[in-house]
Every structure is written in structure tokens, then in C-alpha cells.
Amino acid sequence: MSIKVALEHRTTYRFDRPVELGPHVVRLRPAPHSRTPIEAYSLTVSPANHFVNWQQDPFGNWLARLVFPEKVAELDITVGLVADLVVVNPFDFFIEEYAETYPFTYEPSLAADLAPYLRPVGESETDVPGPLVTAFREQLPEPPESGTAMVPFLVQLNAAVYRAVGYSVRMEAGVQSPDETLERGIGSCRDSSWLLVSLLRQYGLAARFVSGYLVQLASDTTAIDGPSGPGQDFTDLHAWAEVFVPGAGWIGLDPTSSLFAGEGHIPLSATPHPAAAAPISGTIMERAEVDFSFHNAVRRAHEDPRVTKPYTDEQWQRIDALGEGIDLRLEAGDVRLTQGGEPTFVGLDEVTSPQWNTQADGPQKRVKASELAERLREVYAAGGLVHRGEGKWYPGEELPRWQISLQWRDDGQTLWSDPALLADPWDATSAESDAPERAARLGREIVRLLGLPDTQLRPAYEDPLTALIGELRRPDGDRPGLDPLTADAQTARSLDDQVVDPTGWVLPLVTGEEWRSPDWTLRRGRIVLLPGTSAVGLRLPLSSITWKDPHASGDPSYLEAGPQLDPSIPAVPVVPADHQPTAALTVEARNGFVHVFLPPTERLEDYADLLHVIDTAATTLGQRVVVEGYGPPPDPRLTQLVVASDPGVIEVNVQPTSSWTELRDLTPALYDIARHARLTTEKFDLDGSHTGTGGGNHITLGGHEPAASPLLRRPDLLVSLMTYWQRHPSLSYLFSGRFIGPTSQAPRFDEGRPESLYEAEIAFQEIDRLTAQTDEPRPWLVDRALRHLLTDPTGNTHRAELCIDKMYSPDSSRGRLGLLELRGFEMPPHPQMAMVQSLLVRSLVAMFWEKPYRAPLVRWGTALHEDFLLPQGAIRDIGTVVADLRAHG
């Protein structure tokens, strides 16, 4: 992918009368060592009556020698060229082992060849550097005895000159001496470059002065830190320096911008001294008045699609119009489709660390996730809650992964009043040294608001027997004071008594139509937590708890409880804990923050009321809290956006959208918010190869509520999608990342399991047969018919290209959401690319809703991987998909 530019550079001299000109030398042809491909070049000189001879100077630069046999009144020199601005990695070079660190010494034969470029830049035609540049050199940090890596060393020198000299456009001829530039503190690009050459030679490094063209194109995006570059495409004559490093050759350094030279730096002449690099030099043989003018212009001759601008404005207008047209068809068909997704992002600043490549967690990942969640909350979750819960837990991982959920109500009701009272537990600067006391006060305030007696707030302690057992399991040595063979309850109580500081506070609480606070009883007389480092709410000794209803005991303090304890609750006898509710709200201090753990709830009303109680308590005390524990029950009135950890990436589970317009607003906004949190959608390998995040951009299809899901209302829709995906492998491979095939995160249902095709055909027939028997929806039908097929080779339903884990699973209500997850989509680098992929899926849904797709499944055999994994196979197949869509409008 590249941008081809046409550059025109015109220089004009107008004399007050015809004059005789001596020979002129023009150094305006790109040098042979230019890294930017030059596809066309022209030099036009007026007057036409002249002679031109192309030559090369001693340093290999092109020059044109012009001779004018007649007097001229005007001299016009116009350069035209077409350059292919293919991205150049300025750090893509090899360095000889002996030169990998500075200082080093050039090999004798190489030093002899570089002699003109090693000669010190002196003042007044001497070989002695001036006092100011010498002092400037002495003020810079000396490399350590072990040496400094070569590239960082060059970066530091380039930056030092950049900081020392302000930039100005200077029209006077010639170059300032290094001392003059330092004394003034300002200079043109050629002045800064000559200073850098002087500095490099003082360090014993061969350096040369370069004159050339600088092409700067307006950026597709604005910078999030530092300048964004020119507002429009720009070109001009420019100067920079080059240093010779063994193995790498000449490396361009631009002290005007503190950058290494890239594809926009087109060298014209590189010489030991600026005087030999003048773009145009010559003489006028007689005195005359001269009017000098010049013109530089650049225009884009051709642009390939690129990750920062995949579509032209005209193309995007057509795409947008199509998206709105698809919406009209979905609305006309009463499809009621909602679409969500799971885009992934990686850190912009530390791309090589394991947390952005393989590990699910990491310190910077947590910081970035909190920042991203806060930015998203400000945009989408006004009046909502930031809930920090637990995500997936995979084998081999010590603890479940974290996730940050933004929760808000679509009906405008507030879940949490003041976002300033929601703490970030990963911000160590906000930790409170007296957090344990604060947690106890918050727990007591919650109990007071609920109208419960103080005794219902139970302290929870760590188990001293855990440390004892660990001690007893050690190898032979000094034995602890307690022998488990003689231990009894009295001894255990004596050990318990030694643990006096509670880890947290527990309030037994069961929500529902009527809230109750069971009176727990425990054999050890108090709550002794299970071992571990998780939240108190996850370490309750549930199997050790029995409970009784307060009214059964006749305790008057309970009978006078507040309105949440209804006296009409029937008496409940004491029964084993596993037959009765053991839910609880817990409050604890952890790492200097007050955490509140929510119990499970079955209704949104209970969840909201519980949050209101905690919110009121926190507001009364002015206490910042971390809300964690169980999430809300599924409810169409509640919207969630989740920021979660995943191997190598941060995953964002976005809220579902009901239209193309909503999707068009959400996707670019999410990309932009993530970018301002210094998260990106692309990475580069060590060899410079461009890759995605390594994570997915799964697309989820469903309805506003499970009963409205088009996939449950019309099971034939999923059959159509499965059949079409199976017959068009490009849909499986074109948008996926590097990890594809039977063992990937999203294998096709026929990949590595050809026998599944026969079972799928039987399942499709059964779905059609049972659907035809009645017009009543059978939401369980799809799950029962296809669950065993839509898996990976190990039987894992979550790791399937078409995942129905959350469609109508028999396991739990959270698995019966009517959702289909398309997992074969990798994270695109640009939001428009993600939206076009989504539009492709929406178009297929609209097409199959209007006319179900029925066709035989294909036995691809080895062609599946031998053809469609190659570009030509994928492109040919996606062409047929596009043709089908066009045929259906």
C-alpha cells in the first residue's frame, strides 16, 4: 500500500535585461541512494537554447551542467517527479557487531574511505571546532564505560540539536557556522543539520550534509500527543544529516523534527560540506538586477486503500447509504435485529511486553482498562454504575480474570448518583491508610439504612488453621504447638481468639419480593473465611452455615426492624445451609480501598434498590467505594458495556445497537476513545510486518430481549447462515487473523470433522420439520439440534466459529439471551473496516430473512485449506458472495 505523489519544483530568475550566464550546475535529481522509489523524473529548462550534460560528482550525486550560448532575460528551471511514498521503517537496518554500541572505532580501511566525512567542522576554515559547539558537546552526557546502544545514542544527539535550535525560514544564502547557530539559538534546517554534522564528527562518527526534498502529507488522523503535522499536503527543499554506521550504511537524521529520515525525505545531494550541495549554483557574467521566485507543489496522483483511510469519501457515502437501505428492509420484515461486538485493543506504548502479546493480565493493562472504562462512562453511562467483577476463569490461571462493567438504565433512572464516589482499586495514589475503619463504618451505615440491628453485621476472620496446616505439611523440623491428632474444638477456639482483626464484614441478605436477613449460626461461633486472596464474598464458608429466620426466635429487636424486614414473613426453622439461602453483602478493605461485594439478585428492581442503599451510605459518609460481586440479572431495561482482560488484549463487549445509524455512531466513537486512552488496533512484528491486535472482533446478533431475537423466532435463519458459511469458506478465512484452522479460536463446524456434515444435514431437516408443525416459536429447538455440532474438535461450544452459547442454553438464564456470536472476525485497524464487515453480516441476515437459503453442504476435502486459505481462492469466493448480495439488491 502506498501513496504516489507528483511533485513540481519551479525556480525562476528574471533579469532587468538580457545577460550572459556562465555555466550553471543543478543538483535537483534524486540521489542514487534515495530509499523512496522515483517512478518518473523530468528537468525542464527555459530558454530552450541551452546545452545540458548529466554528470556525477565525486560523491555519487547527480548533477546537470547547463551552458547557455546566448544572453537570456529569464532562466526557469522546473523539476517534475513522481515518487511512490511506500512506508519506510527508518530503523530497519543491520549494525556490525563491533559498532552496536558507542564508542567504537572504524576499521582502518573504512576510516580511510570516510576521511572527508570525519574531518572536524572548524571555524574560519580551520579544523578546530568553535568554543560554543565544543562546550555544547561537553555538556551532553558521556556514554557509560559499558557503552551505549547505537540507535538510542543517535536519537539522543538528534534530539539534543532539536532542543537547542529553534527553527526559522532563512532566505539568505549560505549556512551558519555551528557556533553562530548555537549563539543565536535559531536557524534554518541547513543550519541545524550542519551543527549536527559537526557534533557527530566530534564524537568520531562519519557524517555528511544532505540537501533534498521533504514531502509531508496531511495525516488521516490527528495526533493524540504532539503536533499532528501539516494541515495540508506540503513539499519544500530541506536539509538534514546522515551518519555512517558500519553494517547499516548512511542513516538519515533530521534535527529539525528530531526524527530519523523516512519516505518523505528524498535526498538530492549528500556531500562532506554544504557548499557542494547547493541545489543551483552558477554565475552571471555581468551586473544586473535579479528577481528571484520559486514554487513548490505536491499533489496525490494515486492512493491505495490503507488502514488509516480504507475508503474514499465517495465510497463511504455509498456504503452509508447501503447501510440505511438495509435498515429499511430489516424494519419492513420486522426482523428486530440487534448487533453487538467484542472489539479488542492493545497498548500503544509497550507493545513487546507479555501483557500485550500472551498474558491476560498486566499492570499497564489494568491502568489502561480503567482509563478506557472511565472515558466510556463519561460518554455512555451517565447515572450508571462502574462494577468491577470477575470474568472468565481458565485452567492454569490462578484467579478469574477481571472485568469492568458499565451499567446504565435505558429508562433514564439513575443507578449511581455520584461517579466521584466510585474508586479505582488500581490507582495506588488514591489508597486510604484507614480503609479498614472506613469499611466498618460503611457496613454499619448500610445496616442502619436497612433498619437492621448492628449484630447482623458479622465480622469475618482469616482461618488460623490454614497456617497451621501449612506448617504441618512442611518437611521434618520444629513442630508447631498443636498436634492435629489431639486437637479439639476448644483448642481451635483458642486459635480463633488469637485472630482479632476482621478481614471484612458480612451482612446476610436475601433479596426478592421480600428482603430477609437470615440469622446465621456457625459451629465455630463466627465467620471464618476460606483460605485465599479473593474478595470476602467469594470466601464465605457456605457449607458451615445454618440459619434461622429472626421471627422464629421471637427476638424483639428483629421484629422492630425497618421496612425491608416485613413482619408477615413466615417463621423458618433452622435447616442445613445448603437447603436455604446463604447470600450476603460484604464490605472489606483491600489494598487501601473499601470494597462492597453484591449478593446475587433475581430482579432488576432488587439490584437497583440495593445499589441505592450502598449509594446513600457512601454519600452520607463521603466514602469512595469499589463495587464488585454478582452482576445484575438479565433485563432489557439495563444496558451493559464491559471492559475485560483477555490474552494479549483488552476486550470491550459493546452494548447492542438496533440500527445502522447507532452502529455508525458507536464504532468510530469507540475507536477514538480507545486511541485517546493510548490504545491501538494494530501491532508490528520485529521485522516490521503489520499485524492486528491478535484478538477478535466478534459480532453478536440477537434481539432487544431474548423473545425478540430473530434467531429464536425463525430457527431457519441460523440454518441459512450455517449453510451459506459452509459453502463460502472466504467468510471463515478472509476476515480472520493468523490463527485459523481446526485448533484455532473459531474453527468451522466441518473443519477437521467431515462427518459433522451428515449430522448437520439431519439437524437441518429436523429443524425444518418441527418448525413446519406449528407457528409457535420453539426457542429451545436450535440449541437442542445444533449444540453438539457447533463446537471445536474437543466439544467446546464457546470455541466455535458460530457460537450459540448464549442463544438458549439449558445451563442458566444468562445463557438464554437469544444471541449468536460470529467469532471468525479479527479486530480491523479502522472503524470503517469494522462497520463494512458488520454491514456484510447485516446484509446476509436481511437476505435470508426474506428468502431462507437452502443448498447442499459441500464436501470440500483438502480444497478447504489448499484453495481458500490462499488469496486467489478467498478473493474468488468472496466475489460470489458479493454477486449474491447484488442480485438481491
Side-chain angles (χ1 to χ4, degrees):
M1 295 185 294
S2 66
I3 300 177
K4 296 181 181 181
V5 298
L7 181 150
E8 182 182 86
H9 172 210
R10 184 174 185 178
T11 306
T12 304
Y13 303 88
R14 294 184 177 88
F15 307 104
D16 61 346
R17 56 189 174 83
V19 296
E20 181 182 352
L21 297 181
H24 276 57
V25 175
V26 178
R27 302 177 182 85
L28 292 175
R29 179 174 171 179
H33 74 285
S34 172
R35 299 175 69 182
T36 302
I38 306 300
E39 297 192 347
Y41 175 82
S42 66
L43 176 67
T44 305
V45 179
S46 176
N49 186 17
H50 68 273
F51 300 97
V52 59
N53 294 98
W54 282 105
Q55 304 171 351
Q56 282 187 291
D57 66 12
F59 313 107
N61 305 298
W62 290 107
L63 54 86
R65 186 176 185 272
L66 303 176
V67 176
F68 303 93
E70 300 176 351
K71 290 187 176 184
V72 302
E74 179 179 292
L75 173 60
D76 185 277
I77 300 173
T78 302
V79 171
L81 62 84
V82 176
D84 190 359
L85 297 186
V86 180
V87 174
V88 169
N89 178 5
F91 300 100
D92 184 14
F93 49 74
F94 164 80
I95 298 179
E96 293 286 358
E97 185 176 355
Y98 78 90
E100 288 179 349
T101 59
Y102 179 86
F104 70 90
T105 302
Y106 291 109
E107 294 178 347
S109 60
L110 181 58
D113 295 337
L114 295 173
Y117 308 104
L118 289 167
R119 180 181 178 182
V121 177
E123 299 291 319
S124 304
E125 303 301 325
T126 69
D127 287 343
V128 180
L132 293 184
V133 73
T134 301
F136 181 70
R137 152 79 172 82
E138 293 172 349
Q139 291 172 2
L140 297 177
E142 286 294 329
E145 294 183 2
S146 60
T148 299
M150 198 64 216
V151 171
F153 179 71
L154 295 176
V155 170
Q156 293 168 11
L157 294 186
N158 199 28
V161 175
Y162 168 77
R163 290 191 298 266
V165 183
Y167 175 73
S168 70
V169 177
R170 193 169 61 82
M171 301 302 296
E172 298 88 350
V175 179
Q176 295 175 173
S177 70
D179 269 25
E180 186 179 1
T181 299
L182 287 172
E183 182 179 17
R184 293 185 176 184
I186 193 170
S188 66
C189 56
R190 58 187 185 275
D191 301 322
S192 296
S193 300
W194 189 229
L195 170 60
L196 179 57
V197 170
S198 173
L199 184 62
L200 289 165
R201 293 183 186 178
Q202 286 191 68
Y203 278 99
L205 298 173
R208 64 186 184 182
F209 180 89
V210 183
S211 172
Y213 290 122
L214 176 64
V215 178
Q216 292 181 290
L217 302 182
S219 175
D220 295 326
T221 58
T222 57
I224 56 177
D225 51 1
S228 297
Q232 58 186 7
D233 297 347
F234 165 83
T235 187
D236 203 353
L237 284 171
H238 192 57
W240 59 94
E242 289 182 348
V243 59
F244 190 90
V245 177
W250 292 104
I251 299 174
L253 306 175
D254 188 346
T256 305
S257 60
S258 189
L259 299 174
F260 279 41
E263 65 275 5
H265 292 76
I266 303 175
L268 300 171
S269 183
T271 58
H273 194 280
I280 301 175
S281 59
T283 57
I284 304 176
M285 306 306 294
E286 50 190 289
R287 185 177 297 276
E289 295 292 331
V290 182
D291 180 21
F292 168 74
S293 63
F294 66 92
H295 169 73
N296 287 282
V298 64
R299 64 177 179 83
R300 306 190 188 198
H302 172 78
E303 295 184 64
D304 286 337
R306 52 191 180 274
V307 295
T308 53
K309 190 176 182 180
Y311 305 102
T312 66
D313 293 342
E314 294 76 15
Q315 288 173 327
W316 186 249
Q317 290 174 2
R318 291 163 52 200
I319 292 169
D320 191 28
L322 175 61
E324 294 180 351
I326 294 297
D327 268 8
L328 293 176
R329 293 175 71 158
L330 292 173
E331 184 178 354
D334 190 30
V335 182
R336 288 176 262 171
L337 176 72
T338 63
Q339 181 179 324
E342 298 179 7
T344 54
F345 301 91
V346 295
L348 182 62
D349 302 313
E350 194 186 354
V351 296
T352 59
S353 66
Q355 63 187 328
W356 299 119
N357 289 278
T358 55
Q359 293 182 358
D361 200 3
Q364 190 191 45
K365 183 179 286 189
R366 292 187 175 196
V367 172
K368 290 301 178 185
S370 285
E371 181 180 351
L372 176 63
E374 177 57 24
R375 290 176 179 270
L376 291 169
R377 185 201 62 77
E378 292 174 353
V379 175
Y380 296 109
L385 172 72
V386 180
H387 179 281
R388 295 176 178 267
E390 293 189 330
K392 301 169 186 175
W393 193 359
Y394 289 95
E397 295 180 351
E398 183 179 356
L399 290 172
R401 299 172 185 172
W402 46 260
Q403 64 178 30
I404 307 172
S405 302
L406 308 181
Q407 305 164 0
W408 67 95
R409 295 186 61 155
D410 294 333
D411 55 14
Q413 295 190 32
T414 299
L415 282 180
W416 190 269
S417 63
D418 186 359
L421 293 176
L422 295 170
D424 178 2
W426 299 327
D427 180 10
T429 61
S430 301
E432 299 167 323
S433 58
D434 59 343
E437 293 81 6
R438 291 174 174 269
R441 286 199 296 271
L442 181 68
R444 289 193 293 269
E445 181 64 17
I446 292 173
V447 168
R448 187 190 69 80
L449 291 171
L450 290 173
L452 296 171
D454 291 343
T455 52
Q456 278 301 92
L457 186 66
R458 313 292 185 88
Y461 300 90
E462 298 297 337
D463 192 348
L465 295 178
T466 300
L468 176 64
I469 292 171
E471 183 69 27
L472 290 173
R473 287 175 175 168
R474 294 176 61 186
D476 188 32
D478 294 337
R479 299 180 64 80
L482 179 65
D483 189 332
L485 296 177
T486 61
D488 56 17
Q490 183 177 358
T491 307
R493 279 196 294 272
S494 67
L495 287 174
D496 283 347
D497 291 341
Q498 297 175 21
V499 182
V500 296
D501 295 324
T503 300
W505 301 86
V506 179
L507 173 63
L509 191 63
V510 181
T511 62
E513 292 292 340
E514 297 174 336
W515 288 25
R516 292 175 290 173
S517 181
D519 185 13
W520 286 357
T521 59
L522 300 102
R523 184 173 184 180
R524 292 171 70 170
R526 64 179 185 176
I527 298 176
V528 180
L529 298 172
L530 301 176
T533 58
S534 297
V536 165
L538 294 173
R539 297 195 289 131
L540 296 175
L542 301 183
S543 61
S544 303
I545 297 172
T546 57
W547 74 292
K548 59 184 178 181
D549 188 272
H551 309 295
S553 65
D555 188 334
S557 62
Y558 288 92
L559 295 176
E560 295 173 0
Q564 295 294 348
L565 287 177
D566 189 344
S568 64
I569 296 176
V572 180
V574 176
V575 295
D578 58 349
H579 293 294
Q580 292 293 343
T582 52
L585 179 147
T586 68
V587 184
E588 66 175 302
R590 206 162 65 241
N591 300 322
F593 293 91
V594 176
H595 292 249
V596 180
F597 187 97
L598 302 178
T601 52
E602 297 295 331
R603 303 184 310 154
L604 178 61
E605 290 78 5
D606 300 329
Y607 186 78
D609 288 344
L610 187 57
L611 286 177
H612 177 67
V613 172
I614 299 168
D615 186 4
T616 303
T619 302
T620 301
L621 300 177
Q623 178 60 55
R624 301 176 73 230
V625 299
V626 178
V627 179
E628 58 186 13
Y630 287 86
D635 192 291
R637 294 169 293 176
L638 185 77
T639 301
Q640 289 198 80
L641 188 157
V642 180
V643 179
S645 61
D646 218 33
V649 298
I650 290 176
E651 179 180 286
V652 180
N653 294 273
V654 299
Q655 66 270 31
T657 56
S658 300
S659 66
W660 168 257
T661 302
E662 291 182 15
L663 182 68
R664 184 186 58 201
D665 293 340
L666 172 63
T667 307
L670 174 62
Y671 273 69
D672 187 63
I673 291 169
R675 192 171 71 92
H676 281 83
R678 300 195 66 79
L679 293 168
T680 184
T681 55
E682 52 193 339
K683 294 190 295 189
F684 293 89
D685 289 344
L686 292 177
D687 63 355
S689 300
H690 178 268
T691 70
T693 63
N697 183 44
H698 307 155
I699 297 174
T700 57
L701 305 176
H704 186 59
E705 54 185 325
S709 172
L711 295 151
L712 294 182
R713 291 160 49 220
R714 284 267 304 273
D716 63 271
L717 178 58
L718 180 56
V719 174
S720 297
L721 291 171
M722 285 183 63
T723 304
Y724 200 77
W725 245 258
Q726 197 277 333
R727 290 177 58 86
H728 292 284
S730 62
L731 295 173
S732 301
Y733 300 142
L734 184 62
F735 306 110
S736 63
R738 293 177 171 178
F739 306 104
I740 48 183
T743 61
S744 71
Q745 289 281 330
R748 292 163 53 94
F749 75 88
D750 63 340
E751 202 159 26
R753 297 175 297 161
E755 69 280 357
S756 65
L757 292 173
Y758 299 99
E759 298 182 36
E761 289 168 338
I762 295 172
F764 293 170
Q765 293 172 5
E766 281 298 290
I767 290 175
D768 288 341
R769 182 179 68 83
L770 293 174
T771 303
Q773 291 179 356
T774 177
D775 293 333
E776 293 294 324
R778 299 183 179 185
W780 47 265
L781 178 59
V782 170
D783 184 90
R784 303 307 185 274
L786 299 174
R787 171 168 285 267
H788 67 296
L789 291 173
L790 297 178
T791 70
D792 71 353
T794 70
N796 188 335
T797 57
H798 184 67
R799 289 166 58 103
E801 181 186 29
L802 304 179
C803 174
I804 60 171
D805 256 0
K806 298 178 181 178
M807 186 169 291
Y808 210 79
S809 169
D811 298 333
S812 70
S813 61
R814 298 179 186 275
R816 295 192 288 273
L817 302 178
L819 297 180
L820 170 68
E821 183 177 350
L822 307 178
R823 295 175 51 84
F825 291 84
E826 190 191 32
M827 184 63 179
H830 194 278
Q832 289 182 346
M833 298 170 70
M835 293 166 67
V836 167
Q837 293 175 15
S838 296
L839 183 56
L840 169 65
V841 174
R842 295 175 69 85
S843 300
L844 290 171
V845 169
M847 184 168 71
F848 299 145
W849 185 269
E850 295 172 1
K851 183 179 181 181
Y853 182 75
R854 292 295 181 270
L857 300 181
V858 180
R859 273 64 180 173
W860 291 112
T862 58
L864 186 63
H865 295 150
E866 292 173 351
D867 186 10
F868 298 104
L869 281 185
L870 298 177
Q872 66 269 19
I875 292 172
R876 183 183 67 249
D877 185 54
I878 199 67
T880 63
V881 173
V882 172
D884 284 349
L885 291 169
R886 286 177 174 165
H888 287 80

